[in-house]
Amino acid sequence: MELKWLLCVTLLALGIVALQAHDTDEDNDADDVVDIEDDLDDGIEDVEESKSETSSAPPAPKVTYRPPVPTGEVYFVESFDKGTLDGWVLSRAKKDDTDDEIAKYDGKWEVQDMKETKLPGDKGLVMVTRAKHHAISSKLSKPFVFDTKPLIIQYEVNFQNGIECGGAYVKLLSKTPELNLDQFHDKTPYTIMFGPDKCGEDYKLHFIFRHKNPKTGKYEEKHAKRPDADLKTYFTDKKTHLYTLVLNPDNSFEILVDQTVVNSGNLLNDMSPPVNPPREIEDPNDQKPEDWDERPKIPDPDAVKPDDWDEDAPAKIADENAVKPEGWLDDEPEYVADPDAEKPEDWDEDMDGEWEAPQIANPKCETAPGCGTWQRPMIDNPNYKGKWKPPMIDNVNYQGIWKPRKIPNPDFFEDLEPFKMTPVSAVGLELWSMTSDIFFDNFIICTDRAVADDWASDGWGLKKAADGAAEPGVVGQMMAAAEERPWLWVVYILTVALPVFLVVLFCCSGKKQPSAAEYKKTDAPQPDVVDDEKEEEKDKGEKEEEEEEEDANEEKLEKQKSDADLGSASQEEEEEEEEEDRKPASEEEETVNRSPRNRKPRKD
């Protein structure tokens, strides 16, 4: 028990000392004064020095930035490492149906390093301003035609200041004779829109493509289903994330974030609205007949209200069996004027009226069952039936829920290859955001998955490696968290000390055994102990040796006695000699017999 109490006290002391040490460190940082004894100060400094020497982690490996280089055919690449916006066109357009003050695309774009970059020299495109319309675009090296090769779009985004409401998606602008990048705006035709978008708590990852109706020639936006993955982390962790869209000629698609698939599907089955319209539609000219009966149940026309049905009976009645409790104070009101209240000095009766003391609970009612006029409590009326209604029966004329008849859809078409979209010739960013400094980098548009993966490895992969090298280990993260929340020191100490305490408690502290003197005749048998067994074996061996010696002495005495009885008178001299010889033996035997070890137990 003493060991248990000692361990408990030790754990408590460690927690208090840790908290005090943390508070002392904060005071030292503020005042640069240590108010403790010199010897203790020296000891702490020695411990801190030795701790820093032994626990110092090896320096993190340095990651050197190298601009990525495409390893195959590409339609567009941009790493912004040249530090300029060469090849990009800033829009000078205005939004339609918008006030002139905010209609201009006057948002600012710049090529900058990331704010907290771990790769000096790695630059990106930054949307600098907030609450403005931004539009910038660039031509592809050659138009992309949707035929037999897949389309891969990939780029990086970092919400350096988080994101309140805004998007970071890209548009692949359709190849049209009217395309003018200088007038790029929200109505400019696009073929694909892809990327993250967020407003409030709605986190989205868009994939939209504009499909051309082969019969009417009109375009309609088709939206991919929402991914099942939780996207919140990508918007809030302020890290660089890699967004990838893969479109295949077989109409399948994949959406990846950080090279992990978060959404996939088929253009024919997983878009809303569907690519192909239904074969049949409801006839818009069909109308429900006036005699169409949609009622599955109707009131029984033959039902009659019973004669004893009282519709006027109240739902509640007074309990006639109730009796007023003894001690009920009929003449005492439930509330009385506060006798201690006083009229305020500034009370103006002409303005405020006659002053009356505020009401308080009647003190006399506190010890009584009640005050005021006693009334019988209300109970449910057993005769209450309510308003009579005839029972419902099946409607024999029920015709079901009416629906207009189906007719062939005059706008029906079947496009089994929606992948063959309108060719694209430029990439653009047309965005509005309430948060500034959104960072874009390492755009690539290609047809080979391996080329996109190599580009990602040389760009985003390098950022990820640099961030991992710069991040503290688990211990460092725990220490940093404890600096912000001192109570975590106690959690850490208990987390480490508790298992040790339990091991010591169960392994080193045995159950105390009562002594033999504490047992009574009615007590349970004593448990075997190793030391007791050894002592019993030793005593048993000594007892067996004593018994063997006693048996030998008895045999010798009996033999001598028999020899003496058989001797004759003529042998008196021999007998005397034998007696003389026998005396020392007798004395020796007597000495042996008197020994406590050889004494026979007495028989009662």
Side-chain angles (χ1 to χ4, degrees):
M1 292 301 292
E2 294 178 356
L3 179 59
K4 296 177 183 178
W5 282 110
L6 180 60
L7 289 174
C8 292
V9 172
T10 302
L11 291 177
L12 181 60
L14 286 173
I16 295 173
V17 169
L19 288 176
Q20 290 179 347
H22 179 73
D23 295 338
T24 302
D25 291 340
E26 291 181 349
D27 294 338
N28 291 344
D29 294 338
D31 300 331
D32 293 330
V33 176
V34 181
D35 188 14
I36 56 175
E37 294 180 2
D38 294 339
D39 294 339
L40 182 60
D41 187 17
D42 295 338
I44 293 177
E45 291 179 355
D46 294 341
V47 172
E48 293 295 334
E49 291 177 359
S50 61
K51 181 179 179 180
S52 62
E53 292 177 359
T54 56
S55 61
S56 59
K62 184 178 180 180
V63 181
T64 303
Y65 176 71
R66 297 186 304 274
V69 177
T71 57
E73 182 184 8
V74 296
Y75 288 79
F76 182 82
V77 288
E78 180 61 82
S79 65
F80 301 100
D81 292 323
K82 57 183 177 290
T84 65
L85 287 175
D86 292 343
W88 290 84
V89 179
L90 294 173
S91 175
R92 294 187 291 108
K94 291 184 179 181
K95 290 178 68 73
D96 296 335
D97 303 326
T98 307
D99 294 340
D100 290 339
E101 296 180 357
I102 60 173
K104 294 180 179 181
Y105 282 90
D106 55 354
K108 188 176 181 181
W109 297 91
E110 289 185 1
V111 176
Q112 300 177 355
D113 290 338
M114 198 183 303
K115 285 184 177 180
E116 299 180 0
T117 182
K118 308 298 187 302
L119 290 174
D122 180 19
K123 300 182 182 299
L125 177 65
V126 179
M127 193 175 73
V128 179
T129 49
R130 60 182 295 274
K132 288 182 177 293
H133 295 291
H134 303 75
I136 192 171
S137 56
S138 180
K139 284 281 189 177
L140 273 59
S141 59
K142 58 181 178 179
F144 180 87
V145 179
F146 295 86
D147 47 18
T148 59
K149 294 182 179 180
L151 171 67
I152 300 173
I153 310 166
Q154 183 171 275
Y155 69 107
E156 302 170 12
V157 177
N158 186 309
F159 297 105
Q160 300 183 93
N161 298 333
I163 183 68
E164 296 178 10
C165 184
Y169 43 80
V170 299
K171 291 181 177 180
L172 297 190
L173 305 183
S174 302
K175 180 185 177 182
T176 61
E178 299 81 13
L179 180 60
N180 182 3
L181 300 185
D182 186 62
Q183 295 298 314
F184 173 40
H185 57 91
D186 58 325
K187 299 295 192 300
T188 300
Y190 71 91
T191 300
I192 291 175
M193 189 177 91
F194 167 65
D197 188 15
K198 182 252 185 183
C199 197
E201 291 300 315
D202 189 12
Y203 302 91
K204 299 178 180 178
L205 182 53
H206 291 296
F207 166 41
I208 305 171
F209 79 94
R210 295 173 70 243
H211 179 262
K212 183 178 180 180
N213 188 314
K215 296 190 68 173
T216 64
K218 294 182 179 180
Y219 285 87
E220 185 178 21
E221 291 184 348
K222 309 297 181 180
H223 296 249
K225 63 181 181 180
R226 294 180 69 96
D228 296 331
D230 184 8
L231 304 176
K232 183 176 181 179
T233 303
Y234 307 130
F235 293 85
T236 58
D237 61 4
K238 297 184 180 180
K239 294 183 178 180
T240 302
H241 293 289
L242 181 71
Y243 295 89
T244 308
L245 170 65
V246 180
L247 279 174
N248 296 307
D250 62 356
N251 299 319
S252 64
F253 69 87
E254 285 185 335
I255 299 174
L256 302 90
V257 180
D258 298 343
Q259 297 183 323
T260 299
V261 177
V262 297
N263 197 3
S264 62
N266 189 283
L267 299 179
L268 288 171
N269 306 320
D270 300 300
M271 307 301 289
S272 179
V275 170
N276 296 315
R279 291 181 178 271
E280 293 183 332
I281 60 172
E282 294 179 348
D283 186 357
N285 299 321
D286 191 15
Q287 296 181 355
K288 182 174 68 172
E290 294 181 356
D291 59 348
W292 190 276
D293 196 342
E294 294 181 324
R295 300 172 301 167
K297 295 280 186 180
I298 59 172
D300 186 357
D302 299 328
V304 179
K305 182 177 69 173
D307 295 337
D308 59 349
W309 192 284
D310 187 2
E311 293 183 342
D312 299 327
K316 296 283 186 179
I317 59 174
D319 187 2
E320 298 296 334
N321 298 323
V323 179
K324 181 172 66 175
E326 295 183 2
W328 190 279
L329 304 179
D330 295 274
D331 300 331
E332 292 290 339
E334 188 174 357
Y335 294 94
V336 296
D338 186 359
D340 298 329
E342 297 180 357
K343 183 174 69 172
E345 295 179 357
D346 58 349
W347 187 274
D348 188 349
E349 293 189 356
D350 294 335
M351 297 291 295
D352 304 324
E354 184 180 357
W355 181 82
E356 294 180 356
Q359 298 287 305
I360 62 172
N362 192 344
K364 296 181 180 180
C365 299
E366 294 180 357
T367 57
C371 294
T373 304
W374 180 79
Q375 295 180 350
R376 298 179 183 276
M378 303 299 288
I379 61 174
D380 293 334
N381 184 4
N383 297 322
Y384 172 75
K385 296 182 179 180
K387 187 72 175 178
W388 182 83
K389 294 180 181 180
M392 303 297 290
I393 61 173
D394 293 335
N395 182 8
V396 295
N397 297 320
Y398 174 65
Q399 295 175 272
I401 304 300
W402 182 86
K403 294 181 180 180
R405 64 174 177 268
K406 296 283 189 177
I407 61 173
N409 184 0
D411 298 327
F412 173 75
F413 64 86
E414 189 174 31
D415 181 3
L416 299 181
E417 296 180 318
F419 171 77
K420 294 185 177 181
M421 308 173 192
T422 304
V424 296
S425 60
V427 58
L429 300 169
E430 188 269 317
L431 304 169
W432 165 278
S433 176
M434 294 303 296
T435 309
S436 61
D437 295 329
I438 300 178
F439 185 93
F440 300 86
D441 198 7
N442 293 332
F443 290 85
I444 186 171
I445 298 175
C446 62
T447 60
D448 191 341
R449 186 71 172 267
V451 173
D453 289 344
D454 292 341
W455 179 264
S457 177
D458 294 340
W460 174 79
L462 208 59
K463 289 186 177 71
K464 183 179 179 182
D467 291 340
E471 288 183 355
V474 176
V475 175
Q477 294 177 5
M478 293 174 63
M479 298 291 286
E483 290 296 331
E484 298 179 0
R485 294 174 285 275
W487 55 267
L488 285 175
W489 289 107
V490 177
V491 177
Y492 296 160
I493 291 172
L494 293 179
T495 302
V496 175
L498 186 59
V500 177
F501 169 75
L502 293 176
V503 170
V504 174
L505 179 64
F506 290 105
C507 295
C508 300
S509 60
K511 184 177 179 182
K512 185 178 179 181
Q513 301 295 337
S515 61
E518 295 176 353
Y519 280 89
K520 300 179 181 179
K521 293 183 179 180
T522 58
D523 289 337
Q526 299 184 26
D528 295 337
V529 182
V530 177
D531 295 337
D532 294 342
E533 292 178 355
K534 291 181 179 179
E535 292 179 2
E536 289 178 2
E537 291 176 359
K538 183 177 181 181
D539 293 342
K540 185 177 180 181
E542 293 177 354
K543 187 175 180 180
E544 291 177 355
E545 292 177 1
E546 292 174 0
E547 289 177 356
E548 290 176 359
E549 291 178 1
E550 289 177 0
D551 293 342
N553 291 335
E554 288 178 358
E555 291 177 358
K556 187 176 181 179
L557 290 174
E558 289 178 359
K559 183 177 180 180
Q560 291 174 353
K561 185 176 180 181
S562 62
D563 292 339
D565 293 338
L566 295 175
S568 59
S570 61
Q571 296 177 346
E572 291 179 357
E573 294 179 357
E574 294 178 1
E575 193 173 347
E576 290 177 355
E577 292 177 357
E578 290 177 357
E579 287 178 358
E580 291 177 357
D581 296 335
R582 202 165 45 243
K583 282 181 180 181
S586 300
E587 292 175 358
E588 182 179 358
E589 291 170 358
E590 185 176 359
T591 302
V592 173
N593 292 334
R594 289 180 180 178
S595 174
R597 181 178 294 181
N598 295 329
R599 188 177 299 167
K600 290 184 178 180
R602 181 180 176 182
K603 297 182 180 179
D604 294 336

